[in-house]
Amino acid sequence: MTFTPQHPQKANAIRALAMDAVQKANSGHPGMPMGMAEIAVALWSGHYRHNPANPGWVNRDRFLLSNGHGSMLHYALLHLSGYAVSMDDIQAFRQLHSKTPGHPEVGYTPGVETTTGPLGQGIANAVGMALAEWLLASEFNKPGLDVVDHYTYAFVGDGCLMEGISHEACALAGTLGLKKLIALYDDNGISIDGKVEGWFTDDTPARFEAYGWNVIRAVDGHDVAAVSAAIEAAKQAGKPTLICCKTIIGKGSPNLQGGDKVHGAALGDKEVAAVREYIGWSAAPFEVPADVYAAWDFKAAGAQLEADWAAKFAEYSAQYPQEAAELSRRMAGELPGNFEATLAAGIAATVEKKENIATRKASQNAIQALAPVLPEFLGGSADLTGSNLTNWKEITPVRSGQPGNHINYGVREFGMSAIMNGVALHGGYIPFGATFLTFADYSRNALRMAALMKQRSIFVFTHDSIGLGEDGPTHQSVEHVSSLRLIPNLDNWRPCDTTESMVAWGEAVKRKNGPSTLIFSRQNLPYQERSAAQIADIARGGYVLKEVADAKVTLIATGSEIELAQAAATALAAEGIAARVVSMPSTDVFDRQDAAYKASVLTKGVPRVAIEAGVTDFWYKYVGLEGAVVGIDTFGESAPAGVLFKHFGFTVDNVVAKVKTVIA
């Protein structure tokens, strides 16, 4: 594509729609859309390859608005270029169930690639998308038939670059040389508190050059031709590019432009009228002149771009039918036909071997069993591969110029998690990445975003409790499992042995409408005997592991505490107290089961005691106020794991004593 002649009012159409929508909603951020209007014109008119009629076209460029508070910029672009975003949708900005929510949300608005708003995560997602594009292209492209060939463009602001995650993600992008990643920086010198010179004086261009990026400095962000030329130069750079565009926030507002008051509030009727006069926009609110619409319309051009690609893909399919079918399968997010059989064989192998091993090792065994039939696996770890055990025999580490299937993310937990989300959003891979459970806090907002966006990201967390031992309370997770269970649409699995670990991996891989965490122990755990029916019920999140007649109590446990529950049940039986044992590796999945099944697991009228090496509050939803919880509501200590479990009351004697208090 080449730069096309511009209608002088294309940028002003963005300004008008942005200020009118914010004014009608009396809520929003007009400053960024008005300030980045010419940058948007340059990208969307001369470079951005997309098809408004098919927002999911596989080989489209990806566009991400990392500074997502300026969402009206994106909505205006989608509307003007021909997406299914109507003027009624624009007028419904920030209203209930509209296609135009306050921040861009993937799945709500055609053409929106990711959910942004938490600053910095959009650019991190962009790194993931560019990574996925490069890896897929390396795997599938053939000489003369580049069927995976697109750019990832991100708009970023000062806020994105102040956030620490931008350092994590952009540093890795530079190290890996992701040359099809182009970020356009809205350098307007203003944030919510005013002029950033009081708190943000980084030499941003030098910082990105130090990362290994190509940097294009001091571009006039209001000169469409200059921005377009910079984008063209970025495409030739051979490394990721940051284009620093000097802009005026709220450009076109005669009394507010250049100041913080235009950042995050409606302009007011008087100033809206002044803008119209100042920029020469005579159209009424929510009206766009026909000639401006015609200048923006990209439907025909987009259809031609996709048609040209489709012809190339047809040729590719004829010459390489297996590769074409595989690429189509993976981009559709479908699992291979032999996945279920492979998973079943993996589960059967755990039953046969009956290994007493740490569940982190059981996790590695599961990865090894599944990876040969899942070429879409893209694993990794935040500098803890040898502890998290996310590697497998056939891995190829990803390096600059060397594509592969396993990423050393470095000590960048938040960046890793948001990059994984970008990979998942792009399609073609099932990303998983790992760290210690206590560092889930570093990743937490990315986990939340994965759940909000319903993406198949798999977050592996090991060293899951005070069982970590000597490293002490800084590394011992006590509140983390319960806190992760509070995130809607996040499935959390804490398996107790090899079989539950294999099932958990299978369920995480099969889940297409949301992320999963897989939470594993450092210490060895004993294998639990089960019937075939019990094994089938693991996938329901909770099941009866030990059933007894005339039960007086139900013991509920997860992970490493299943061993304790079983031992306590045996001790209780010796005292004539019949105790059932329920294993609940995923409370999230269990809660989605039908009422009859849940009642069969947690039988009415039988008192309950929950056992988990973590905070207790969560478990009262299952045991009730009349039940009891064996847990830990303090931080841990530094000592061997066995000493700690005894110190904090994770003993048979203590469980038996708790049971007696609830059945008395």
Side-chain angles (χ1 to χ4, degrees):
M1 294 173 67
T2 57
F3 182 64
T4 54
Q6 300 304 310
H7 190 290
Q9 290 284 44
K10 287 182 76 171
N12 286 336
I14 295 171
R15 291 189 171 96
L17 289 175
M19 72 175 181
D20 288 342
V22 172
Q23 186 64 27
K24 182 175 181 182
N26 194 29
S27 174
H29 299 76
M32 185 278 267
M34 297 175 74
M36 293 195 77
E38 283 84 7
I39 300 171
V41 170
L43 177 61
W44 281 61
S45 298
H47 302 279
Y48 181 50
R49 298 166 60 90
H50 61 113
N51 182 6
N54 182 14
W57 170 35
V58 166
N59 201 47
R60 68 194 182 277
D61 289 339
R62 269 59 168 182
F63 172 73
L64 299 90
L65 197 73
S66 190
N67 42 355
H69 55 271
S71 57
M72 265 311 305
L73 174 69
H74 204 173
Y75 301 148
L77 288 166
L78 294 169
H79 170 74
L80 291 166
S81 59
Y83 284 78
V85 178
S86 68
M87 190 61 82
D88 286 342
D89 294 324
I90 298 294
Q91 293 197 58
F93 178 56
R94 289 189 163 224
Q95 304 309 301
L96 184 64
H97 302 317
S98 75
K99 285 185 181 179
T100 52
H103 292 83
E105 295 188 38
V106 67
Y108 277 69
T109 314
V112 168
E113 300 283 2
T114 185
T115 300
T116 55
L119 292 175
Q121 287 199 63
I123 183 62
N125 293 163
V127 172
M129 291 185 184
L131 174 64
E133 190 276 342
W134 167 50
L135 295 177
L136 280 173
S138 302
E139 185 176 352
F140 286 99
N141 287 352
K142 302 295 181 182
L145 291 172
D146 290 344
V147 291
V148 180
D149 182 16
H150 53 266
Y151 286 87
T152 300
Y153 298 100
F155 283 2
V156 300
D158 287 314
C160 296
L161 299 184
M162 282 187 256
E163 290 284 0
I165 190 175
S166 72
H167 298 256
E168 296 183 22
C170 293
L172 186 60
T175 296
L176 296 179
L178 301 179
K179 64 183 180 180
K180 289 189 175 178
L181 173 61
I182 299 174
L184 293 105
Y185 169 32
D186 178 28
D187 183 11
N188 61 38
I190 296 292
S191 66
I192 292 174
D193 279 355
K195 294 183 178 180
V196 300
E197 62 192 26
W199 48 86
F200 183 50
T201 57
D202 300 15
D203 186 342
T204 297
R207 169 187 153 194
F208 274 77
E209 286 170 346
Y211 291 157
W213 286 52
N214 172 52
V215 177
I216 302 176
R217 299 170 179 247
V219 177
D220 182 351
H222 302 299
D223 184 335
V224 174
V227 176
S228 180
I231 297 170
E232 189 59 41
K235 293 178 181 178
Q236 314 306 318
K239 56 177 68 174
T241 295
L242 179 72
I243 302 174
C244 301
C245 301
K246 195 64 183 175
T247 62
I248 299 170
I249 190 171
K251 173 79 170 173
S253 174
N255 301 301
L256 297 176
Q257 63 184 6
D260 58 277
K261 289 183 173 56
V262 76
H263 172 86
L267 302 182
D269 292 334
K270 185 176 180 180
E271 187 66 11
V272 166
V275 171
R276 279 185 154 73
E277 181 178 355
Y278 188 77
I279 66 175
W281 186 264
S282 58
F286 303 107
E287 290 185 6
V288 176
D291 59 333
V292 179
Y293 266 133
W296 266 114
D297 188 2
F298 202 75
K299 293 192 291 294
Q304 187 61 54
L305 286 170
E306 183 172 356
D308 292 344
W309 176 84
K312 178 183 289 189
F313 191 71
E315 182 180 352
Y316 180 89
S317 299
Q319 294 188 39
Y320 307 100
Q322 288 185 321
E323 290 87 344
E326 179 69 2
L327 178 59
S328 297
R329 175 190 73 78
R330 285 168 55 174
M331 290 304 293
E334 300 296 336
L335 296 176
N338 58 350
F339 175 77
E340 288 289 355
T342 303
L343 176 60
I347 294 170
T350 67
V351 175
E352 179 181 356
K353 293 178 181 178
K354 304 184 189 320
E355 293 177 292
N356 299 331
I357 57 177
T359 52
R360 63 170 172 161
K361 179 59 179 176
S363 167
Q364 185 179 45
N365 292 346
I367 296 170
Q368 185 62 62
L370 300 177
V373 300
L374 290 175
E376 57 263 54
F377 256 0
L378 183 61
S381 173
D383 203 49
L384 290 168
T385 302
S387 293
N388 299 147
L389 303 182
T390 52
N391 52 340
W392 63 100
K393 291 178 182 177
E394 297 84 7
I395 69 164
T396 300
V398 176
R399 298 289 185 266
S400 179
Q402 175 187 295
N405 55 8
H406 191 275
I407 302 169
N408 298 100
Y409 285 98
V411 188
R412 303 182 179 106
E413 296 88 356
F414 192 7
M416 172 183 72
S417 301
I419 289 169
M420 286 166 52
N421 289 344
V423 170
L425 286 158
H426 179 279
Y429 291 99
I430 299 174
F432 62 91
T435 185
F436 291 165
L437 178 58
T438 193
F439 302 128
D441 285 343
Y442 287 174
S443 302
R444 187 179 181 86
N445 203 264
L447 271 65
R448 183 177 186 273
M449 295 303 292
L452 182 63
M453 296 188 290
K454 302 178 182 178
Q455 294 304 302
R456 182 162 49 184
S457 297
I458 301 175
F459 302 98
V460 177
F461 296 118
T462 67
H463 299 60
D464 68 341
S465 72
I466 58 172
L468 176 62
E470 291 87 345
D471 276 342
T474 61
H475 283 51
Q476 291 167 8
S477 305
V478 292
E479 77 276 26
H480 296 75
V481 178
S482 284
S483 69
L484 291 172
R485 291 171 178 144
L486 299 177
I487 299 176
N489 198 42
L490 178 64
D491 281 0
N492 302 279
W493 291 85
R494 187 172 182 246
C496 74
D497 69 355
T498 55
T499 300
E500 285 193 358
S501 297
M502 183 68 73
V503 172
W505 261 106
E507 292 305 301
V509 169
K510 288 190 285 185
R511 189 177 189 223
K512 295 180 66 174
N513 64 344
S516 302
T517 74
L518 302 176
I519 300 168
F520 299 115
S521 73
R522 178 195 188 192
Q523 72 274 26
N524 289 347
L525 303 180
Y527 178 78
Q528 301 294 328
E529 293 288 351
R530 301 173 185 83
S531 68
Q534 287 173 314
I535 292 173
D537 283 342
I538 295 172
R540 304 185 79 165
Y543 63 102
V544 180
L545 182 60
K546 179 184 179 66
E547 188 61 278
V548 294
D550 301 320
K552 297 295 186 293
V553 68
T554 295
L555 303 178
I556 311 167
T558 75
S560 52
E561 287 68 70
I562 284 293
E563 177 184 10
L564 175 57
Q566 291 277 56
T570 300
L572 287 164
E575 295 189 32
I577 302 171
R580 306 167 71 244
V581 176
V582 168
S583 178
M584 202 175 288
S586 178
T587 61
D588 311 279
V589 175
F590 178 76
D591 286 348
R592 292 200 295 270
Q593 304 307 307
D594 61 76
Y597 179 76
K598 287 189 285 188
S600 73
V601 175
L602 300 179
T603 51
K604 187 176 181 180
V606 178
R608 303 165 190 167
V609 174
I611 312 166
E612 188 172 60
V615 294
T616 60
D617 281 2
F618 170 84
W619 286 102
Y620 286 99
K621 68 181 283 190
Y622 297 107
V623 303
L625 295 179
E626 68 280 3
V629 182
V630 177
I632 172 172
D633 289 314
T634 67
F635 293 112
E637 297 282 352
S638 180
V643 174
L644 291 175
F645 278 113
K646 183 177 181 180
H647 173 74
F648 286 108
F650 292 95
T651 64
V652 169
D653 288 346
N654 190 40
V655 174
V656 169
K658 285 280 189 180
V659 167
K660 290 178 179 178
T661 67
V662 301
I663 65 173

